[in-house]
Amino acid sequence: MSYLHAMTCYTEGIKVLAPVKWRSLDGLVGVFWDAEGQSGAKGYYLSPDPRIVIFFSDVSPFIQMTNREGGMAAHARPMTRAVYVPAGVPLWTSFTSSHRFSHLDLHLHKDRMLRFLSPSVGMSCALAALRRPVEIQDVGAIETLAGLLVDEVSTPTKHAVYAESLVGSIVSGLLDVSDHGTELPNGRLTQAQLNKLIMHVNTRSDGRLSVAEMAETVGLSESWFANVFKQTTGKTPLQWQLARRIDLAQKLLVESELSITDIAAQLGFSDQAHLTKTFRQIVGGTPAAWRRMQQFN
C-alpha cells in the first residue's frame, strides 16, 4: 500500500539535533528524531491517521501533554514512554524544563493496522482498539522492538517485511486488543483502563476529574463509561472519586500538619463542614476524631 502520512504540526522551542531518519513501508512511515526542547517549549500535533510515539528515555518529569485545547493548566498529565494517538485526536505538549530526547514516530494507515490485528482478534475488536488511546510508562519489550526498528529505519539491512513485522509486534503489544473496550460485551472496564484512570487521577493534587474527563482518559463515551464503571466497581464514577479524595484526606491527616480547613481546600471541598460530613459518611467519624485516634495507634 503506497502511503504518505499527513500531519498538522506546530512546535516552538524544539530543535532537531541530528538529521531525521525515516523510512516508508507498506501502509506506514517510521521516523526517528533526536531533539531538544527548551524550558517552555511547546508543540501541537494532529493527524488524520493513527500514530504511535515511543521515547527511548523517561520524559515524564520534563514534558506535559493534554488532548484539550487550552487545557495545559488544568488537564495536563506527564508524557509517558509510549503513546498511541487515535486518528483525529489532537495532542498539545509543553516542556517544564530543558531536555534532550529521542523518539520513534510511527504513522500508520488505518487499513494497515486492521491488517495487523483483525486476523487474530476479529474486525470488531480491532476497530475498537483503534479508537482507544493508550499511554504507558513501563514499555518493556516494546522499547527493544522500537530499537530494532530504528536500526532498520536508519540503515536498512533486511527486506521490508522484517521492519513491517516489527511494527506489527509493536502495534499488538501496545494497543488494548482485549475483548473489552468501547463495545464491552460483559459491561466492564479492563484492568488496564482502571490503571490508566487511577494514574490520571493521581496526577491531580485534589484528586478531582469530571466524568467526561474520566471517560476521555479510557477512550469511552461519557454515557457508556458511567454505565460500565458502576458495573466494574459497584460505584458511580463520582462516588468512587469521592472515596479516593477521602483516602487522600486520611493520608494528609496522618502525614502532614495541615489544618482540616486547609485539607478541605486542597482537596476541593467547599469548606471544612463539607469535608467533615463526607468524611463521616465514608469513614464513620470526623476528621479530627480520626486524626486523634491515629496518633494514639
Side-chain angles (χ1 to χ4, degrees), residues 5-17:
H5 73 283
M7 185 169 73
T8 300
C9 173
Y10 167 78
T11 63
E12 180 180 313
I14 301 174
K15 63 179 180 179
V16 177
L17 301 178

Side-chain angles (χ1 to χ4, degrees), residues 4 21 59 65 92 126 128 188 220 262 268 277 297:
L4 291 176
K21 305 293 180 63
V59 295
M65 62 178 172
W92 286 264
R188 298 177 66 84
L220 301 176
D262 290 339
K277 179 181 178 181
N297 286 342

